[in-house]
Amino acid sequence: YSGNSSTNAITGVGFQPDFAWFKCRSEQRSHSLVDSVRGFNGTSARVVQSAGTQVEWESEYINSLNTDGFTLSGSENYINNSSHTYVAWCWKAGNANTSFSESGNNPAGTHRANVPAGFSIVSYTGTGAAGTVAHGLGAAPEMIFIKNRDVDDAWAVYYGDNTDYFVLNTTAATADAATYWNDTSPSSTVFTVNTAHSVNADGEKYIAYCWRSVEGFSKIAQYTGNGDANGTFVNTGFKPAWVLMKRLNNGDQATPIFDSARNKHNVTNLRLKANDTVGELNSDGNIDLLSNGFKARNTDGSVNTDSGIYVYMAFAETPFKYANAK
């Protein structure tokens, strides 16, 4: 969408978003993540950003999440300036919030879950000791993004390895620390947090975004790069509309995001970085979005270095049983 420096009602999403992730394409500006669990203070959204450690703040320029989109206002550069272009990625997380109580060291909070789509939003208050957090998915999440809302902590990401984590807002490789997940895998009802300040400080508020794979709709998995311009093909079982990937076994690599809204044709070369405020890039790290997956088109370290191990999360343009091959 394009900014207009005034009231800007964006429609055409196709549902009422519960989680919206905004990014300015044309200039270096912060990512802005809002959701229906943290909600709004009147017409001001409660915002966290993926590329930094900043505490949650309130934006008077993101006014509401609506039945078919969202409403913005003002001329703030990161969200709605008339001289800039933007992208918004949206998820639906069910129809109602569900609260859960503190029990021993297990945090209290609220979750909102879209079980068929494999996505939930969880807000909880830390206890400072190893405990479990209810996620509402009905199956174990495979990817969890967690941000401390009260303190300038880094993001913590669970990606399927209960001994390791990575940081969404940096280029660092994964690290091994039992203080994050207590070396315990999520179950169909809860995920475990230990004493790391980024996931479970006593009395501090957190937001967690949880995903699991749903056949024909979403896929969270890993692949190995081949270091060749004729790059690794990754079979997702559907044509991706959105792909995020992260190299696990080496630092100094970005976390690129590709989508079919900004890239109408292959090569898919317009990418944004979840870990950086930089504007849209159109070189390096290129991929093709194909009818049944995606394929790296060069040897960039963020997508396809030789023996690089990558985790990815992809969502379908159309669920596979309804899609036509292209």
Side-chain angles (χ1 to χ4, degrees):
Y1 71 92
S2 295
N4 69 2
S5 297
S6 184
T7 300
N8 198 0
I10 304 297
T11 60
V13 171
F15 55 87
Q16 181 160 339
D18 290 303
F19 173 41
W21 182 336
F22 300 93
K23 178 68 180 78
C24 182
R25 302 171 58 189
S26 51
E27 190 173 79
Q28 181 169 329
R29 297 291 171 182
S30 64
H31 297 252
S32 300
L33 284 61
V34 304
D35 61 74
S36 59
V37 173
R38 290 178 297 143
F40 291 71
N41 182 8
T43 57
S44 295
R46 296 181 173 95
V47 180
V48 290
Q49 72 142 314
S50 68
T53 63
Q54 292 91 333
V55 299
E56 176 183 276
W57 77 94
E58 291 187 5
S59 170
E60 62 184 286
Y61 307 105
I62 306 173
N63 304 131
S64 61
L65 299 174
N66 308 324
T67 55
D68 189 32
F70 45 87
T71 299
L72 314 171
S73 64
S75 60
E76 183 60 40
N77 285 323
Y78 69 84
I79 198 71
N80 190 41
N81 189 285
S82 60
S83 63
H84 298 321
T85 57
Y86 302 85
V87 65
W89 305 304
C90 301
W91 285 259
K92 184 170 179 57
N95 297 317
N97 293 341
T98 300
S99 61
F100 51 93
S101 301
E102 184 173 318
S103 175
N105 294 327
N106 301 328
T110 302
H111 63 66
R112 189 180 185 100
N114 187 340
V115 173
F119 173 59
S120 71
I121 304 167
V122 186
S123 175
Y124 65 94
T125 302
T127 62
T132 60
V133 180
H135 55 67
L137 277 180
E142 299 163 82
M143 185 82 81
I144 308 172
F145 295 174
I146 298 178
K147 179 68 181 76
N148 190 325
R149 300 165 59 187
D150 290 335
V151 175
D152 287 349
D153 277 340
W155 286 80
V157 179
Y158 173 85
Y159 64 93
D161 183 335
N162 66 30
T163 65
D164 287 7
Y165 71 97
F166 72 82
V167 177
L168 184 63
N169 54 280
T170 74
T171 60
T174 59
D176 184 339
T179 55
Y180 279 72
W181 321 123
N182 203 32
D183 291 354
T184 304
S185 297
S187 73
S188 61
T189 57
V190 298
F191 62 87
T192 299
V193 289
N194 202 346
T195 58
H197 211 274
S198 288
V199 298
N200 191 28
D202 187 26
E204 293 179 8
K205 297 189 296 293
Y206 295 83
I207 190 69
Y209 304 114
C210 306
W211 289 273
R212 65 174 179 86
S213 300
V214 175
E215 186 176 3
F217 173 72
S218 61
K219 187 70 176 288
I220 300 164
Q222 295 184 21
Y223 70 92
T224 301
N226 65 10
D228 194 296
N230 183 17
T232 298
F233 167 71
V234 180
N235 190 337
T236 61
F238 52 78
K239 182 178 182 180
W242 189 92
V243 181
L244 173 148
M245 56 190 69
K246 168 68 177 177
R247 186 176 176 186
L248 301 177
N249 61 340
N250 188 45
D252 298 323
Q253 298 299 334
T255 304
I257 301 173
F258 303 91
D259 65 67
S260 60
R262 294 175 297 128
N263 294 275
K264 299 298 185 182
H265 306 285
N266 289 321
V267 176
T268 302
N269 63 342
L270 299 179
R271 64 174 180 165
L272 290 159
K273 298 179 180 181
N275 63 286
D276 202 319
T277 60
V278 67
E280 189 170 75
L281 304 171
N282 61 5
S283 62
D284 301 328
N286 302 333
I287 65 173
D288 282 342
L289 297 175
L290 305 172
S291 63
N292 58 346
F294 62 91
K295 181 180 177 66
R297 289 290 300 267
N298 62 21
T299 62
D300 184 78
S302 65
V303 299
N304 189 41
T305 198
D306 187 31
S307 300
I309 300 172
Y310 300 84
V311 65
Y312 71 89
M313 181 165 61
F315 293 89
E317 187 170 278
T318 305
F320 194 71
K321 67 180 180 178
Y322 302 114
N324 294 315
K326 295 180 180 178

